[in-house]
Amino acid sequence: MARGPRYNVPFRRRREGKTDYKKRATLVVGRRPRAVVRVTGKHTIVQTVEAKSEGDRVLAAANSIELGEFGWKGGCGNVPAAYLTGYLAGFRSIQKGVGEALLDLGLRKASKGGRTFGALKGIVDSGVNIPYGEKIFPNESRIRGDHIADYAKKTVSNLELYSKRFSQYLSRKLKPEDLPSHFDEVRRRIRESYTGAVKKSE
């Protein structure tokens, strides 16, 4: 560890690899809420956070595990689920009066077209204004899960591989080939659940 009279010990969260204070300061100076997107191996978490002198205040949040309440039977750790989680968080944010925000990726190096930007696309499609570049988003077919459905169609003839790869889908009574249409149905349910409430709050 570095020593000497000129060495400053980094803040604890910086030492633990949890917070980039320089990036955080840039976002806070923007004086807009932050759309915080975090992805784990199995889930996507989206929060709208407002910085206060006493600490961050979460205005709205959604976790991909909540998608089951809208009938989602697919996995929670893929691009379609990330989009729907962002979509859900976006409507909840609008309900709380949040019309615009800045994207906060934390320390994660997000890849173009990945789950992080799938979630961002969902937030934007809900009506929250967030600065972005079109080229970072997954394409529409990937958001709907066409790539998963196409792979399922190719493996369905190999029953052992098909059952192994898609055991969770099949246990929930969802054929992976039907994922795109199932995605459309769940997106519609989220929109219908929140559209009326959002209009009343405006």
Side-chain angles (χ1 to χ4, degrees):
M1 183 175 179
R3 300 175 181 276
R6 295 185 180 181
Y7 178 71
N8 294 317
V9 178
F11 290 127
R12 176 181 58 81
R13 290 184 63 85
R14 174 69 268 190
R15 297 198 308 271
E16 294 175 351
K18 294 180 178 179
T19 302
D20 182 335
Y21 284 96
K22 186 175 181 179
K23 184 184 293 185
R24 176 182 168 81
T26 302
L27 290 169
V28 171
V29 168
R31 298 187 179 278
R32 279 184 279 180
R34 306 189 327 272
V36 180
V37 179
R38 300 291 184 266
V39 297
T40 68
K42 295 183 178 180
H43 297 288
T44 299
I45 304 159
V46 180
Q47 297 178 321
T48 304
V49 178
E50 185 178 42
K52 293 289 187 180
S53 58
E54 62 273 16
D56 284 352
R57 176 188 172 208
V58 177
L59 303 175
N63 189 312
S64 56
I65 200 169
E66 296 180 79
L67 298 177
E69 298 173 12
F70 299 90
W72 180 247
K73 298 178 181 179
C76 290
N78 54 30
V79 172
Y83 173 93
L84 292 172
T85 305
Y87 198 56
L88 177 59
F91 279 118
R92 289 177 175 175
S93 299
I94 293 172
Q95 264 191 306
K96 296 294 184 178
V98 178
E100 58 180 357
L102 296 172
L103 179 63
D104 182 346
L105 298 180
L107 297 175
R108 187 180 182 85
K109 292 183 179 180
S111 58
K112 174 184 173 183
R115 283 193 288 158
T116 300
F117 294 119
L120 173 61
K121 175 64 171 169
I123 303 170
V124 170
D125 284 355
S126 73
V128 179
N129 181 25
I130 298 178
Y132 63 90
E134 287 284 353
K135 294 182 179 180
I136 63 173
F137 290 146
N139 58 45
E140 186 64 25
S141 64
R142 190 170 182 81
I143 286 174
R144 295 179 69 244
D146 286 334
H147 61 297
I148 298 174
D150 289 343
Y151 178 69
K153 291 173 184 176
K154 291 178 181 177
T155 59
V156 70
S157 58
N158 185 335
L159 188 58
E160 183 179 353
L161 177 61
Y162 179 81
S163 300
K164 181 179 180 181
R165 294 288 188 185
F166 300 106
S167 59
Q168 290 188 354
Y169 289 82
L170 298 173
S171 67
R172 297 169 187 156
K173 303 294 189 292
L174 172 65
K175 292 183 178 180
E177 306 95 299
D178 298 333
L179 183 61
S181 59
H182 178 61
F183 169 88
D184 291 338
E185 176 63 20
V186 173
R187 177 164 58 177
R188 181 187 63 78
R189 288 176 186 168
I190 294 174
R191 183 175 64 250
E192 291 180 351
S193 295
Y194 282 91
T195 300
V198 167
K199 286 182 178 178
K200 288 179 182 178
S201 67
E202 291 177 346

